[in-house]
Amino acid sequence: MKRVILLMLNVAGFCSFGQIVTTNPSVPSPSQPVTITFDVTGTEFATKNLNDVWLWAWLENGATDVNAATNVNPATAAQDAAKASRSSTNPNLYSITLTATQFFNKPASEIHTVGVLLKGRDWSNGQTADKFMTFSVNFAIAFASPSSSVFFVNESELINITVNSNENATIILKNGSTTIASSAGAVTEFSYGHSVAGTQGSVTITAEANNGSEVKSISFTYVVRTPTVVESRASGIVDGINYSADVSKATLSLLAPGKSSVYVLGDFNEWEISPDFQMKKDGEHFWLEIDGLTPGSEYAFQYFVDEHLKIADPYADKILDPDDQYIPPATYPGLKPFPSKALSDQWYFNRLAVLQTNQSPFEWEATDFAKPAGENLVIYELLIRDFFGSGERNYQNLIDTLAYLKHLGVNAIELMPIMEFNGNESWGYNPTFMFAPDKYYGTKNKFKEFIDNCHQNGIAVILDIAMNHQDLPNPYVMLDFDFVNGKPEADNRWFNVNATHPFSVFFDMNHESAYTKKYLDTVNYYWLNEYKVDGFRFDLSKGFTQTNNPSNAGAWSSYDASRIAILKRMADKIWEHTPEAYIILEHLSVNSEEKELAEYRSDEGKGMMLWGKMTEQYNQLTMGYVENSDIGGVYHESRGWDVPHLVAYMESHDEERLMVKNILYGNAAGSYSAKDKLTSLSRIRAANTLFYSIPGPKMLWQFGELGYDFSINHCSDGSNNESCRVSPKPVKWEYREESYRRWLYDHVRDLLRLRKNYDIFTEGALTLSTGNSLVKQLVLRNNPYTPSPSNADEMNAVAVANFDVVENAVLVEFPHTGTWYDYYAGGITLDVEGTSTSVTLSPGGYKLFTDVRVVSTVITGSEQSILNELDIYPNPVEDQLIIRSDNSSVPDVSWYSIYGVPIPLKKLDNETWEAGHLPPGLFIAEVKTRSGIFRLKLIKK
């Protein structure tokens, strides 16, 4: 996150929560010594009780451009020039004296605004908040007091005013155009005690200094406190922004229990505190009608609560923040810039809501979309940030890529969180405003267009949503927050002071609070109805508990009746208004709890689904290791569940990629190695065969269909480090052009085609080999079972894979004798005389048998036909060509010119041919397998 500054007119003292920074002189010159004093009383930094403290300082070029080269870094070298002194009489005071031109080694003309903070020797010691001071080369003045440019006072209160000048000058103070005090001649300091009159509202005091040749002026504003008007809201007004038929008006409503006053600041009042924009109070709610609005114009605004807290509207559907400037115009055309008048030196105050009357409603085209049945879902988990390159991460590109996903065969897309989050390049699990789509991916209507296009293509949209926690500056976190200790206060209605469970991040929600329940119920209703999403994946649902196990992961994962009640209540509220909504839990808890949640209301056609993590087990197989290789848990009945509500997955955003561990740790025997990339991809195909042919919903993490092989901990510099886990990852769409990766894509696509076209793969009765073994087999019996099917509706199937690194003669169990068809060998027949039949499988080899002939798809690439049985690459070829058969046979290959003339090619081994001597052009490879003879076009570069 970029630093932002509050543009101030030579104000030497500026306060925040418990921290004050002052300078002496109060109008410092870059070429003269200045003493900077930090008063950290009441801050978290004070609790560190540090003696060794250094100043970090940087030059600001404009409002947000940090010149990092000027940073002084005591974390790597303790520089005496940057070390601050601690007061011997007040341990909360630290000071340092410096001359800016010497400190920065810059000329005075380049030193204007300087950012400063204090820090211990390393980050674990903490740091103070960013503060900013203005240096003046020429004549300038500043207030030594008051220390704030805007503040509240009571009637008849005395305001002590002190004005400093860096040159002798005559100083006068004015209230409007009326002079209220003046110095007796030319001075460098003038003080005056100003008594607040009975006037209500805002008063601006201006100081003017005249050095005989020029006049400088500065000002501050005080606001006389006025009682909040108590008045009921009009019928129908809800929290958030309320629009009506009168497009020149909008009514704002804020739930702020325990607060006494709220003002609205915005574009419509020049961001000034005004009695005309003080909200009225109705119980725990504050409200105000804003009129005089231009229809269709966007207005930024925020709430100023109890004279110290600035928050945006928690229900706003558009939020502005300073990071918006880095969003490409192509992603968000005409994005309203963050108003400079609203910038604060406290980053968490820099969130603004946007209201706009007379908006045109989105015109939905897909009005009859039928959601896929939950048990048939094939979900593609997707992070937009890492799905496209920099500058292209938006909904429009996602719309343009739907053909790729539809062709693959998925019927649901699960987006990692897209609600407004801090920063831009985020996973999204640091949400701040739950009703606003983050602008980094595009406009709200473009998001609706994406959903509409998905529905037109038969694809459901599931939102990953973080409701275990929220991040600052979520308004409900901010309303009752301890800024000194960085935690919600004990009386916060929505959030716990400390998380009740392990692995919590940011600020933990109290799911037993009536305030939290109403808030989250509204969030759920909003996305399902306003955006027509089809359901949710609730992140860290195991954290939806008030049972206090802050550090015991085992106790946290055990059966929790109160957590079950919380989730059932939330699900019931969703199903009241959207009966067919998907509810998917990332729970990963004890099986008895997951079983109860999965089966809840399943007799009514509802029910929650739960993530079924199978990463380690499948990865053990693809690496070739027997330990912990039992994949029985991929199937709901293996867990004792009565309903197929287990969303199984081999990869997810939270897990290491299968290919990464294959290449790093794969097993080997002789010349065969699972570390080899091509071999590893073949083993991934085997795993997919023993995954998608199992009934029940499945999930695929993006680019898994192409064998993505960059680590979850990949850093931008190419290294791997856990600190880079959530960092952007390389986008490898070029993988589609690599034939061996394309074959994996086609393999997954064909498995999804089988699931879609043949009920046996979604409704069949499964018998799955369990236990730790490198040979895995499954049997699918149709229901009702018949050993002599007459058509595909009665078909049975058997799949088997050898995950060993050596060839194995596998005793395959068939449900009946007779004729079976070897799907991946072109449908050749296998006569089964006994239910146990020996089949030889090469290392990593796999088979799918059906008792009804099923025609495999022929995948046609550029100038090439690739059968499921064969892997042929590279094409075009330069030096060597590899032809692999997926069964145990060695292909017999003959070579011809385009005119049919035989061409001799040297065979290097069973699968490699020398092609380097061929002239550029087109050639034909005639490949003989047990399935038949196939002629393939090959291009020589």
Side-chain angles (χ1 to χ4, degrees):
M1 179 177 294
K2 292 279 188 179
R3 291 186 177 95
V4 294
I5 66 172
L6 172 63
L7 300 179
M8 308 181 72
L9 300 177
N10 293 332
V11 177
F14 23 99
C15 66
S16 66
F17 294 95
Q19 178 182 317
I20 299 176
V21 180
T22 57
T23 64
N24 185 19
S26 57
V27 188
S29 169
S31 57
Q32 298 296 324
V34 58
T35 298
I36 309 170
T37 300
F38 289 77
D39 183 351
V40 298
T41 302
T43 68
E44 185 177 10
F45 192 80
T47 65
K48 302 292 184 179
N49 194 28
L50 300 177
N51 289 316
D52 294 333
V53 169
W54 285 266
L55 174 75
W56 275 43
W58 60 94
L59 298 179
E60 288 279 341
N61 298 324
T64 58
D65 184 17
V66 177
N67 184 352
T70 64
N71 281 348
V72 177
N73 188 350
T76 56
Q79 300 186 15
D80 290 340
K83 192 168 185 178
S85 299
R86 192 177 192 183
S87 170
S88 59
T89 57
N90 184 346
N92 291 323
L93 294 181
Y94 296 88
S95 62
I96 184 171
T97 300
L98 57 86
T99 301
T101 51
Q102 298 174 6
F103 189 84
F104 291 105
N105 193 26
K106 297 281 186 181
S109 60
E110 295 184 19
I111 300 174
H112 305 291
T113 302
V114 175
V116 293
L117 60 84
L118 292 180
K119 190 178 81 66
R121 186 175 295 276
D122 56 53
W123 294 115
S124 64
N125 294 137
Q127 69 179 67
T128 64
D130 295 358
K131 294 298 173 184
F132 300 87
M133 49 192 294
T134 302
F135 284 80
S136 298
V137 177
N138 302 312
F139 174 45
I141 61 173
F143 287 113
S145 64
S147 59
S148 297
S149 58
V150 180
F151 54 92
F152 282 80
V153 297
N154 295 316
E155 292 184 13
S156 303
E157 186 174 328
L158 186 69
I159 302 174
N160 293 314
I161 304 172
T162 298
V163 184
N164 292 119
S165 170
N166 61 357
E167 296 181 16
N168 285 324
T170 301
I171 299 174
I172 63 174
L173 296 175
K174 293 183 177 180
N175 181 350
S177 60
T178 303
T179 298
I180 57 175
S182 61
S183 65
V187 295
T188 57
E189 181 175 289
F190 174 62
S191 297
Y192 173 72
H194 175 67
S195 181
V196 175
T199 305
Q200 294 186 348
S202 301
V203 177
T204 298
I205 302 296
T206 302
E208 292 182 355
N210 188 333
N211 67 353
S213 59
E214 59 180 318
V215 176
K216 295 289 184 179
S217 64
I218 56 175
S219 63
F220 67 82
T221 299
Y222 65 84
V223 182
V224 181
R225 292 184 177 91
T226 57
T228 298
V229 174
V230 176
E231 184 178 323
S232 297
R233 297 177 294 174
S235 176
I237 297 298
V238 297
D239 288 322
I241 305 168
N242 295 260
Y243 300 112
S244 67
D246 188 341
V247 293
S248 68
K249 297 179 179 181
T251 300
L252 307 178
S253 179
L254 174 70
L255 175 62
K259 306 307 175 185
S260 58
S261 72
V262 181
Y263 289 80
V264 181
L265 311 177
D267 291 333
F268 33 69
N269 60 10
E270 298 299 319
W271 300 93
E272 295 180 355
I273 300 171
S274 166
D276 293 337
F277 288 86
Q278 184 174 10
M279 301 184 81
K280 300 173 183 179
K281 197 171 191 298
D282 178 11
E284 294 183 329
H285 302 267
F286 292 82
W287 67 277
L288 184 69
E289 183 181 80
I290 310 293
D291 57 16
L293 301 173
T294 301
S297 294
E298 289 189 322
Y299 295 87
F301 73 95
Q302 64 183 177
Y303 300 117
F304 191 31
V305 181
D306 278 3
E307 304 174 8
H308 72 280
L309 186 67
K310 293 180 179 179
I311 60 174
D313 192 299
Y315 288 88
D317 64 3
K318 183 174 181 178
I319 299 293
L320 302 183
D321 74 72
D323 284 341
D324 293 348
Q325 62 186 305
Y326 307 109
I327 297 175
T331 291
Y332 203 114
L335 177 57
K336 180 180 175 65
F338 192 98
S340 60
K341 290 183 178 181
L343 275 172
S344 170
D345 64 343
Q346 300 293 350
W347 71 268
Y348 38 75
F349 288 165
N350 288 320
R351 299 295 185 272
L352 311 176
V354 175
L355 68 83
Q356 181 186 25
T357 65
N358 202 35
Q359 298 181 48
S360 298
F362 181 81
E363 298 293 335
W364 296 92
E365 294 185 18
T367 57
D368 56 353
F369 173 66
K371 294 180 178 66
E375 59 269 24
N376 294 336
L377 283 175
V378 179
I379 303 168
Y380 195 91
E381 187 190 17
L382 187 152
L383 172 61
I384 301 174
R385 186 201 68 183
D386 290 349
F387 207 52
F388 302 108
S390 179
E392 300 176 342
R393 299 161 175 162
N394 56 55
Y395 297 122
Q396 183 58 58
N397 281 324
L398 199 52
I399 292 169
D400 296 339
T401 312
L402 284 179
Y404 170 86
L405 296 173
K406 183 178 182 180
H407 184 262
L408 178 61
V410 300
N411 56 17
I413 295 173
E414 178 185 302
L415 294 179
M416 286 173 65
I418 54 88
M419 297 80 184
E420 181 74 24
F421 45 74
N422 280 328
N424 286 331
E425 295 183 351
S426 170
W427 269 12
Y429 296 107
N430 54 338
T432 52
F433 291 84
M434 296 299 289
F435 295 84
D438 196 284
K439 303 173 299 302
Y440 187 58
Y441 297 138
T443 68
K444 64 181 183 182
N445 278 352
K446 187 59 71 172
F447 180 48
K448 291 180 179 180
E449 184 182 338
F450 160 71
I451 296 169
D452 203 27
N453 273 268
C454 284
H455 289 171
Q456 292 174 52
N457 284 278
I459 298 174
V461 178
I462 299 169
L463 287 189
D464 194 340
I465 189 168
M467 287 182 165
N468 170 77
H469 56 266
Q470 308 278 278
D471 193 10
L472 211 65
N474 175 278
Y476 291 141
V477 177
M478 296 269 284
L479 276 177
D480 298 287
F481 192 76
D482 180 351
F483 287 90
V484 173
N485 295 304
K487 297 180 178 182
E489 294 175 337
D491 59 352
N492 191 297
R493 275 75 166 175
W494 294 268
F495 293 86
N496 295 312
V497 176
N498 298 299
T500 63
H501 58 87
F503 306 113
S504 185
V505 292
F506 308 109
F507 305 105
D508 186 55
M509 300 203 79
N510 177 359
H511 285 82
E512 291 184 353
S513 163
Y515 293 88
T516 301
K517 292 175 183 178
K518 181 179 179 182
Y519 173 52
L520 297 184
D521 288 344
T522 307
V523 171
N524 290 332
Y525 177 87
Y526 175 76
W527 291 99
L528 289 166
N529 287 271
E530 177 66 22
Y531 288 89
K532 300 187 184 300
V533 301
D534 300 293
F536 302 108
R537 177 262 189 190
F538 288 113
D539 178 67
L540 199 59
S541 60
K542 192 165 58 180
F544 293 17
T545 179
Q546 287 300 104
T547 303
N548 198 31
N549 287 306
S551 57
N552 188 329
W556 173 46
S557 298
S558 62
Y559 186 90
D560 184 344
S562 65
R563 177 170 56 210
I564 294 172
I566 287 169
L567 289 166
K568 287 181 177 179
R569 188 212 65 82
M570 181 180 287
D572 285 340
K573 292 296 291 187
I574 290 173
W575 290 328
E576 282 180 12
H577 51 76
T578 315
E580 296 180 353
Y582 306 126
I583 299 176
I584 303 173
L585 308 179
E586 186 210 17
H587 215 58
L588 306 178
S589 184
V590 65
N591 187 59
S592 58
E593 181 168 329
E594 294 202 347
K595 173 180 169 65
E596 183 172 342
L597 291 168
E599 295 173 359
Y600 178 61
R601 297 187 69 178
S602 60
D603 58 332
E604 304 172 31
K606 298 180 174 61
M608 289 175 266
M609 292 181 281
L610 294 98
W611 258 25
K613 175 186 171 185
M614 295 299 298
T615 306
E616 184 174 354
Q617 293 86 343
Y618 275 94
N619 212 168
Q620 285 292 96
L621 293 175
T622 60
M623 289 188 292
Y625 297 110
V626 71
E627 295 82 6
N628 195 27
S629 62
D630 185 354
I631 60 172
V634 73
Y635 187 51
H636 69 279
E637 288 188 7
S638 299
R639 302 187 181 207
W641 300 9
D642 293 336
V643 289
H645 288 177
L646 180 71
V647 182
Y649 60 89
M650 295 188 291
E651 291 184 325
S652 78
H653 68 269
D654 276 332
E655 310 300 333
E656 185 56 278
R657 292 283 186 170
L658 300 185
M659 282 290 294
V660 169
K661 294 184 72 173
N662 285 359
I663 293 170
L664 287 175
Y665 310 115
N667 200 359
S671 62
Y672 183 91
S673 174
K675 290 186 174 73
D676 176 74
K677 182 170 68 173
L678 305 187
T679 301
S680 180
L681 285 165
S682 178
R683 296 178 70 88
I684 297 293
R685 291 198 300 272
N688 278 280
T689 305
L690 270 291
F691 179 72
Y692 289 110
S693 56
I694 294 175
K698 300 291 185 287
M699 189 183 77
L700 169 63
W701 170 223
Q702 67 183 28
F703 297 133
E705 73 280 7
L706 294 171
Y708 189 86
D709 48 13
F710 285 86
S711 172
I712 190 176
N713 296 320
H714 182 83
C715 304
S716 59
D717 63 2
S719 64
N720 291 331
N721 190 294
E722 285 191 5
S723 64
C724 300
R725 176 162 290 239
V726 298
S727 300
K729 298 298 181 281
V731 180
K732 304 298 289 183
W733 281 105
E734 61 267 29
Y735 279 176
R736 293 175 300 166
E737 307 306 318
E738 300 177 17
S739 60
Y740 37 86
R741 294 186 188 274
R742 182 70 189 194
W743 190 22
L744 174 58
Y745 172 92
D746 289 334
H747 184 72
V748 173
R749 174 178 173 250
D750 191 56
L751 285 167
L752 299 187
R753 180 188 69 88
L754 292 176
R755 285 179 62 93
K756 179 180 179 181
N757 294 337
Y758 301 99
D759 292 343
I760 186 65
F761 298 106
T762 54
E763 299 176 6
L766 177 72
T767 302
L768 177 64
S769 59
T770 57
N772 292 331
S773 168
L774 289 176
V775 174
K776 299 296 182 185
Q777 178 183 342
L778 64 85
V779 176
L780 287 166
R781 292 176 172 85
N782 216 319
N783 188 14
Y785 171 67
T786 174
S788 53
S790 59
N791 54 57
D793 291 338
E794 299 175 343
M795 183 171 68
N796 304 290
V798 173
V800 61
N802 174 27
F803 290 101
D804 208 337
V805 291
V806 296
E807 182 181 279
N808 275 305
V810 178
L811 200 62
V812 180
E813 300 291 334
F814 288 90
H816 64 79
T817 59
T819 301
W820 289 78
Y821 301 92
D822 190 338
Y823 180 74
Y824 290 119
I828 63 172
T829 60
L830 176 67
D831 292 326
V832 176
E833 297 179 357
T835 54
S836 296
T837 302
S838 181
V839 175
T840 300
L841 289 176
S842 59
Y846 55 92
K847 295 275 188 185
L848 175 63
F849 299 100
T850 60
D851 54 4
V852 173
R853 185 185 294 274
V854 176
V855 179
S856 63
T857 57
V858 177
I859 311 300
T860 302
S862 175
E863 299 296 328
Q864 177 184 9
S865 295
I866 303 175
L867 299 180
N868 287 349
E869 182 184 349
L870 297 175
D871 194 0
I872 302 177
Y873 57 89
N875 188 16
V877 63
E878 286 190 26
D879 299 316
Q880 295 181 354
L881 182 72
I882 295 174
I883 300 182
R884 288 181 175 176
S885 174
D886 202 49
N887 58 42
S888 57
S889 65
V890 177
D892 181 11
V893 185
S894 302
W895 303 95
Y896 301 89
S897 72
I898 191 66
Y899 303 107
V901 178
I903 297 175
L905 255 68
K906 182 179 180 181
K907 188 174 184 180
L908 301 179
D909 58 35
N910 283 341
E911 59 186 24
T912 309
W913 280 261
E914 174 60 53
H917 66 285
L918 292 177
L922 183 66
F923 297 86
I924 302 296
E926 185 178 81
V927 184
K928 297 179 181 179
T929 73
R930 290 184 303 179
S931 304
I933 300 176
F934 307 98
R935 293 177 176 84
L936 310 174
K937 295 179 182 179
L938 296 170
I939 298 174
K940 174 64 169 63
K941 286 186 177 180

